[in-house]
Amino acid sequence: MVKNFLCCLFICACQFTLTAEAQVIEEIKTAGQIYAYAQIHGDYEILLDFTYPILIEKAGGRPAMKNILKQIQDTKINKGQKLTTLEFGDDIQFSSNATEIHAVVPITTVTKVPGGTITSESNLVAVGTENRGNWYFIETTSINEQNISKVLPTWDHSLELPYKKPPVFKEDHL
């Protein structure tokens, strides 16, 4: 009888854990859809809502960070670059610490450039705060295991940042 109860308890705990994990992944993907929309459409206010607060603080506040985002976008436009697709992958790895959830989220971007498209596979770090009420995304193009703590002081190195892959250029066919 006790053995059956413990077995049932174990199965229920496993199901709860799998359900909780699936919930976190769905939350990241839902937030990611809004983030992707804002990236593609250049909606700086939404992007700021998904920018980790410490990064905004280091930039000098919301207006300064908005200006930085706009300058980045303007530079890309002047070079003839336009982000057309940003998709979140399924293999999301995450861990929890005392105050946040950290996740490594694979993404694929497609950017239209003069003469073709560039497809890039990279990762974002998703940070869930306030009982996962807020999700923030951090680009990993210029961070690695050695400097991530400067950007995300609560990073505990329980997750690994994957190696960066080179982008792939595909020429337009005329």
Side-chain angles (χ1 to χ4, degrees):
M1 181 72 147
V2 171
K3 187 176 180 181
N4 287 341
F5 173 75
L6 290 176
C7 189
C8 182
L9 185 63
F10 175 75
I11 290 170
C12 288
C14 288
Q15 286 177 336
F16 176 76
T17 300
L18 292 174
T19 302
E21 287 180 9
Q23 179 70 30
V24 168
I25 290 170
E26 281 307 308
E27 288 174 12
I28 292 169
K29 286 184 174 185
T30 299
Q33 289 174 340
I34 300 167
Y35 175 82
Y37 173 88
Q39 282 283 11
I40 290 168
H41 293 91
D43 190 322
Y44 307 118
E45 291 301 323
I46 292 175
L47 287 174
L48 287 169
D49 291 341
F50 285 95
T51 301
Y52 195 59
I54 290 174
L55 294 176
I56 293 174
E57 181 183 312
K58 286 183 178 186
R62 261 181 97 91
M65 180 60 99
K66 184 177 182 177
N67 190 41
I68 290 168
L69 292 173
K70 186 166 178 12
Q71 286 176 359
I72 291 168
Q73 184 69 17
D74 289 347
T75 300
K76 290 179 180 180
I77 289 170
N78 290 337
K79 291 181 177 180
Q81 300 174 357
K82 170 87 172 105
L83 179 66
T84 59
T85 306
L86 191 157
E87 294 179 348
F88 279 60
D90 291 325
D91 189 23
I92 298 172
Q93 305 295 315
F94 68 91
S95 66
S96 301
N97 64 29
T99 59
E100 298 176 333
I101 292 179
H102 297 160
V104 175
V105 183
I107 61 167
T108 302
T109 60
V110 178
T111 304
K112 178 70 179 117
V113 297
T117 58
I118 295 176
T119 301
S120 300
E121 292 182 20
S122 62
N123 296 278
L124 297 173
V125 172
V127 181
T129 63
E130 299 167 24
N131 295 319
R132 301 189 330 251
N134 292 321
W135 284 99
Y136 304 104
F137 295 101
I138 300 171
E139 301 275 343
T140 62
T141 48
S142 61
I143 60 174
N144 56 40
E145 292 293 336
Q146 289 73 38
N147 68 4
I148 190 169
S149 295
K150 292 178 184 175
V151 176
L152 183 58
T154 55
W155 183 260
D156 64 5
H157 296 278
S158 62
L159 298 171
E160 278 188 44
L161 293 176
Y163 290 107
K164 294 172 180 32
K165 297 178 182 178
V168 176
F169 175 76
K170 183 177 179 185
E171 190 174 7
D172 285 340
H173 297 289
L174 298 176

